Amino acid sequence: MKKHILPLVLILLSLLLAFCLLNLDHDWGDDWASYLMQAIAITKGQTQDFIQRNTFTMRMSTQFIGPDAYPWGYPALLAPFTLACGPLDIFCLKSINLIFWTLFLLVLYLLLARRLPPLQAALLVAVFAFSPLLLNFNNQLTSDIAFLFFSTLALFLVERASDSLYRNILLGFALFLAFFVRTNGILLLPTLFLVQAFGCLRTRPRRLPDWKRILTSDLVPYYVFGLLTLADLLIFPAGEGSHFERLSVISFKSLADNVSAYFAMPAFFFSDLPYPEIVYGVLLPFILGGIVLNFKKDFSLIAYLVLSYVLFILWPEQQGIRFLFPILPLLVYFAYRGMTAASFALTSQFQRAGQWVTRGFWLVIVAAFAWTSLTMARDNLAQGRGPYGNVFDPLSIEMFDYVKSQTAPDDVIAFYKPRALRLFTDRYTLLIDRCDALPLAKYVVLRKSRGGVDQVSPDDIESCNPSIAATRVFVNEKFAIYRIRSR
């Protein structure tokens, strides 16, 4: 038990830092608003109404925003928090992330402790426990942190799959929960299949398949996954399937852009260090070396890593570093294994020095991450946790209040973040960034500082479409609202 005290202390310190970094605001990316509205719809039994209204926003806007509905897993997890906290108590709602963040670190340690001595496993856990990027991401009311936990848990259980019925049922639940929370959790199914096939080839290359064991043991996780997925389809309305329509716009250009972007993107994990691209560039050959040298031992991790990268490259839209969260621990692990292997490749008199250099390298990163996170947490608390001029800023709330009190329930309002506007006002909303589409809305809310990005430019709104008259009815320092009438 003593050997596990250090990782437990690190996890508790990380939880404390994450709590201190929570603020009273949310950025304008409005995926979170859709998750929150889905959670509220679950508590009110209005999931079909959500689909109807969100489909209007998604299909009638002048550019692609997102699916008709996200997977219902994270909203289902969030639903009890909306009842306990209230639908707009953003600080309280964010506490859901602290739970999954703590569970992720715990499972990550268990995953690494099967491969490394306890102190080395704790060292790599500390890299994530004090990561400014990940700690601060607990302020995002999205599925990323929850999926990070469920995908890591599923990988941990994939390796422990055996003839045990209990373990296989548990694995099936984990696979389903990962998919229930994020669609790309489906990649864990082919990961399990490849691991099972690889294991059969290694242990029984010339034997006939043991169909009894396959049907009563190996396939149990798939049975559980299938039954739970069927229950999901029966209970919740479909909507996330519209996401796959985006695959129709794959092109050679998008593939080439994605290969380049996702190859370089892990450097962003080190963005709080000096010269993050150089740090990542130094680690890259060790990552590749660690993968090659540990191919058999870590086949499950490698399979999931490769499948994830294939999906990211195929998907037309780039979603930034958050897409890589589930595989960042794998990249760091393989980098460490590659560096350790390189140190053992040295002559005997330099091996110990090489090991100390490896551990010292990661200790420096942990120390730099911890200092940055501690500074951010101190500043956040000193400023009263915000808000910081985003969604919950008084000027934004003033705009929301005007829309809610001065427009009719069936009015269509255009805004560059339509789901956030619908969350606060319960109006039909669209994103309109073309003058010819302005007649679709009765009111247009413009953010003054955005110009013509994702909206009609405030300078052009009154003259860009001769078929309509745009009359300003509200203005404050950040926003202007125009009423649209046909001439």
Side-chain angles (χ1 to χ4, degrees):
M1 180 62 188
K2 290 182 179 180
K3 63 183 180 181
H4 301 308
I5 291 177
L6 178 59
L8 290 175
V9 170
L10 292 173
I11 291 171
L12 289 174
L13 289 174
S14 179
L15 175 61
L16 179 61
L17 271 175
F19 174 75
C20 292
L21 280 165
L22 291 187
N23 61 49
L24 300 170
D25 209 346
H26 204 291
D27 67 29
W28 277 106
D30 65 346
D31 290 356
W32 69 278
S34 190
Y35 282 115
L36 187 49
M37 285 187 289
Q38 286 182 237
I40 295 169
I42 291 173
T43 64
K44 295 182 176 181
Q46 298 175 348
T47 53
Q48 287 289 355
D49 180 66
F50 168 82
I51 291 289
Q52 181 262 320
R53 300 189 72 174
N54 203 57
T55 299
F56 172 80
T57 300
M58 299 300 106
R59 303 303 175 96
M60 297 299 291
S61 292
T62 55
Q63 62 174 261
F64 176 77
I65 302 172
D68 298 339
Y70 288 111
W72 289 93
Y74 187 68
L77 295 169
L78 188 58
F81 288 80
T82 65
L83 295 174
C85 303
L88 291 176
D89 186 341
I90 194 65
F91 181 81
C92 181
L93 292 169
K94 288 177 182 178
S95 63
I96 187 176
N97 288 336
L98 300 186
I99 297 172
F100 290 112
W101 174 246
T102 305
L103 292 173
F104 156 68
L105 292 176
L106 180 60
V107 173
L108 177 62
Y109 173 71
L110 296 176
L111 183 72
L112 295 175
R114 298 190 69 212
R115 296 169 160 79
L116 300 169
L119 286 178
Q120 296 178 44
L123 174 61
L124 296 192
V125 167
V127 173
F128 292 89
F130 299 122
S131 165
L133 171 69
L134 291 172
L135 281 170
N136 206 40
F137 213 86
N138 284 291
N139 274 302
Q140 302 293 319
L141 202 63
T142 54
S143 63
D144 299 277
I145 298 299
F147 181 68
L148 179 58
F149 161 64
F150 285 117
S151 63
T152 307
L153 175 64
L155 281 177
F156 174 71
L157 293 174
V158 161
E159 297 185 331
R160 298 178 65 82
S162 65
D163 292 336
S164 167
L165 180 63
Y166 167 76
R167 286 185 179 179
N168 286 326
I169 291 175
L170 188 61
L171 172 58
F173 269 96
L175 294 171
F176 167 74
L177 288 171
F179 175 66
F180 192 38
V181 168
R182 181 75 68 78
T183 307
N184 55 307
I186 195 69
L187 296 178
L188 290 158
L189 279 180
T191 298
L192 173 61
F193 175 79
L194 290 173
V195 169
Q196 291 173 331
F198 186 68
C200 288
L201 290 175
R202 290 181 62 190
T203 58
R204 296 181 291 274
R206 297 181 181 179
R207 298 181 190 176
L208 292 174
D210 183 352
W211 289 108
K212 181 179 179 181
R213 181 185 58 79
I214 291 174
L215 293 172
T216 60
S217 179
D218 292 353
L219 292 181
V220 168
Y222 303 95
Y223 299 152
V224 175
F225 177 89
L227 288 173
L228 292 174
T229 301
L230 178 61
D232 171 28
L233 294 174
L234 293 174
I235 295 171
F236 296 105
E240 60 268 29
S242 63
H243 222 75
F244 293 106
E245 296 175 10
R246 298 302 297 164
L247 293 175
S248 64
V249 300
I250 291 175
S251 65
F252 286 113
K253 183 179 185 305
S254 71
L255 293 175
D257 289 345
N258 287 346
V259 168
S260 175
Y262 285 113
F263 181 77
M265 198 174 291
F268 194 77
F269 178 66
F270 303 102
S271 59
D272 293 283
L273 303 174
Y275 310 108
E277 293 83 5
I278 294 177
V279 174
Y280 172 57
V282 168
L283 290 175
L284 188 56
F286 293 112
I287 294 173
L288 298 175
I291 290 173
V292 172
L293 293 173
N294 295 277
F295 181 80
K296 291 183 179 180
K297 181 179 180 180
D298 295 318
F299 180 80
S300 59
L301 306 185
I302 295 168
Y304 185 59
L305 182 66
V306 171
L307 289 170
S308 296
Y309 260 104
V310 169
L311 176 64
F312 300 154
I313 290 168
L314 289 175
W315 198 256
E317 280 84 24
Q318 294 174 18
Q319 294 294 321
I321 188 65
R322 71 188 188 94
F323 256 35
L324 301 188
F325 282 1
I327 63 173
L328 286 177
L330 312 185
L331 296 177
V332 169
Y333 164 72
F334 284 121
Y336 184 83
R337 292 303 296 261
M339 294 173 75
T340 302
S343 69
F344 279 112
L346 300 172
T347 57
S348 58
Q349 60 186 9
F350 293 111
Q351 283 184 3
R352 182 172 294 275
Q355 294 173 37
W356 279 108
V357 168
T358 296
R359 295 164 192 171
F361 174 88
W362 290 104
L363 280 170
V364 169
I365 288 179
V366 169
F369 277 2
W371 177 257
T372 301
S373 297
L374 186 61
T375 302
M376 292 165 54
R378 182 195 61 194
D379 292 345
N380 183 51
L381 294 177
Q383 297 176 58
R385 300 184 183 268
Y388 296 112
N390 294 309
V391 178
F392 288 84
D393 176 73
L395 293 174
S396 302
I397 298 299
E398 182 185 20
M399 178 271 289
F400 292 139
D401 288 343
Y402 178 88
V403 172
K404 189 170 184 178
S405 63
Q406 301 299 319
T407 64
D410 59 347
D411 284 343
V412 177
I413 319 293
F415 185 51
Y416 82 105
K417 294 298 181 184
R419 292 174 293 185
L421 184 66
R422 179 152 46 90
L423 171 65
F424 280 85
T425 64
D426 196 30
R427 298 295 183 266
Y428 287 89
T429 57
L430 296 174
L431 185 156
I432 294 177
D433 60 358
R434 302 197 318 260
C435 292
D436 64 302
L438 285 175
L440 293 173
K442 191 166 184 178
Y443 292 88
V444 176
V445 181
L446 301 177
R447 185 166 181 174
K448 295 178 180 180
S449 62
R450 287 190 68 84
V453 179
D454 298 330
Q455 63 178 15
V456 175
S457 172
D459 295 332
D460 300 334
I461 184 69
E462 296 183 37
S463 59
C464 70
N465 188 332
S467 68
I468 59 101
T471 305
R472 192 170 70 185
V473 294
F474 170 89
V475 64
N476 65 17
E477 294 177 25
K478 289 177 66 173
F479 302 99
I481 301 178
Y482 290 82
R483 181 165 184 169
I484 305 300
R485 292 190 178 92
S486 299
R487 289 188 186 276

